[in-house]
Amino acid sequence: MSMSQPQTGDSPRGLAYALAAYGLWGVLPLYMKAMAHIPPTEIIAHRVLWSLPIAAAVLLWQRRAADVVAAIRNPRLLAMAALTATLISVNWLIYVWAIANDQTLNAALGYYVNPLFSVLVGATLLREKLSRAQLVAVALAAAAVAVLTVQMGRLPAVALGLTLSWGLYALCKKSLPLGPNQGFTLEVLLLTPPALAYLLWLSVNGQSHFAAGNLTDTLLLIGCGPITAIPLLFYANGAKLLRLSTIGLLQYLTPTMVFLCAVLIFGEPMGTARMIAFPMIWAALAIYSFSLLRGAGLARRARRGGTTHRAQ
């Protein structure tokens, strides 16, 4: 069985995987909006069902199917995979519901906050040290959420739900002692029985949108497999080859693209609270990015200085 250790540096291959994943996720709202008339639970079930053949094909091509078989026989790994499968299902469900119900801006907010949530998780659980600037960034993000909460009279559930579910998924996925493709295959394998049972129930009760006379709906539901599996496989491989802080930094791409879709294509209104909260989030991300890049530059100079000193 492939056992992974926590990544301590960044790999160019990991960076390419992550960029591809976040770019594809950035245009996902356009695809999901085309299925806004289909219940989110049915869409999620099809995402699971049609992802399995793709994940299995990748695993067979890599000749790593034995890893999944071994993981199924390992209660601890099976429990960990069940947890990550649950977290990604919750994340998918919230996201699909948000797009269908004109909450795309709140979805973008959730993914903007998530990098800073990853920073907080890294500091509290992985003992990653935070600079003063990074602490300021996290505080700004918390203040932005507070502004929205006061204006709405309640917590921004969509944004926080996406932040928590994806942030915890990223953490658990990074800790899962199983190869990225094997882990994703195991996740969808665990989710397939309930997804298939639910789809059969919909069909028996005449509520299914699959093969129900509308070819477009049928093709869109089948397409849920590739649009789900491909970026998630890219992400799973990238997350294993990048530091958690780098993953957090790259996550800016997806919410920016989702934000632009919401405002420019879907025409969702910003509102006063969002006009305050989003710039606060952007400022927090700018502070965090500057801190991260400055730290990386100092580390490189320190390494060069050490090399020069040893040469002398």
Side-chain angles (χ1 to χ4, degrees), residues 243-267:
R243 293 170 298 169
L244 187 63
S245 56
T246 303
I247 284 291
L249 187 64
L250 291 175
Q251 286 176 13
Y252 303 170
L253 293 175
T254 294
T256 298
M257 295 174 72
V258 172
F259 175 85
L260 292 174
C261 281
V263 175
L264 301 179
I265 300 177
F266 301 157

Side-chain angles (χ1 to χ4, degrees), residues 20-310:
Y22 289 127
L24 290 171
W25 279 326
V27 298
L28 186 59
L30 300 176
Y31 194 95
M32 290 299 163
K33 200 70 168 181
M35 296 189 292
H37 59 288
I38 301 176
T41 48
E42 185 175 358
I43 293 173
I44 299 308
H46 278 283
R47 291 187 79 169
V48 170
L49 187 65
W50 299 110
S51 292
L52 183 58
I54 298 174
V58 170
L59 214 58
L60 290 172
W61 176 67
Q62 294 181 330
R63 299 181 180 179
R64 305 308 295 264
D67 291 349
V68 175
V69 175
I72 292 173
R73 295 171 179 170
N74 185 321
R76 179 174 174 272
L77 281 184
L78 204 58
M80 292 179 68
L83 176 60
T84 58
T86 300
L87 288 169
I88 195 61
S89 298
V90 170
N91 183 268
W92 287 346
L93 187 60
I94 296 172
Y95 185 81
V96 172
W97 182 92
I99 302 301
N101 289 273
D102 300 324
Q103 297 286 320
T104 308
L105 274 174
N106 284 335
L109 177 66
Y111 287 120
Y112 268 128
V113 173
N114 192 60
L116 299 173
F117 178 74
S118 294
V119 172
L120 188 61
V121 169
T124 55
L125 298 182
L126 302 183
R127 307 290 184 180
E128 294 179 358
K129 294 182 179 179
L130 296 186
S131 66
R132 185 176 300 175
Q134 290 170 332
L135 289 172
V136 170
V138 171
L140 264 177
V145 172
V147 167
L148 289 171
T149 300
V150 170
Q151 189 273 334
M152 297 170 64
R154 54 184 171 80
L155 287 170
V158 167
L160 290 180
L162 289 172
T163 295
L164 291 172
S165 59
W166 184 257
L168 293 175
Y169 174 77
L171 175 65
C172 294
K173 190 75 175 181
K174 193 173 182 67
S175 305
L176 185 66
L178 189 64
N181 298 328
Q182 297 95 310
F184 175 66
T185 303
L186 183 57
E187 288 167 358
V188 293
L189 193 61
L190 290 172
L191 292 170
T192 294
L196 188 56
Y198 176 66
L199 291 176
L200 289 173
W201 181 85
L202 288 178
S203 182
V204 168
N205 288 274
Q207 299 178 31
S208 174
H209 289 78
F210 183 78
N214 188 323
L215 180 60
T216 300
D217 284 352
T218 299
L219 292 177
L220 285 171
L221 288 171
I222 292 174
C224 283
I227 61 100
T228 297
I230 292 173
L232 201 54
L233 284 169
F234 282 158
Y235 171 80
N237 282 275
K240 293 286 184 178
L241 299 171
L242 297 174
R243 293 170 298 169
L244 187 63
S245 56
T246 303
I247 284 291
L249 187 64
L250 291 175
Q251 286 176 13
Y252 303 170
L253 293 175
T254 294
T256 298
M257 295 174 72
V258 172
F259 175 85
L260 292 174
C261 281
V263 175
L264 301 179
I265 300 177
F266 301 157
E268 291 187 16
M270 281 288 287
T272 303
R274 285 173 176 164
M275 287 183 179
I276 297 172
F278 271 96
M280 291 175 71
I281 294 292
W282 294 332
L285 294 174
I287 291 170
Y288 169 65
S289 299
F290 175 77
S291 173
L292 196 67
L293 294 172
R294 183 173 179 273
L298 290 173
R300 284 195 297 270
R301 284 196 292 272
R303 286 195 297 270
R304 286 198 297 267
T307 301
T308 302
H309 179 72
R310 286 193 299 271

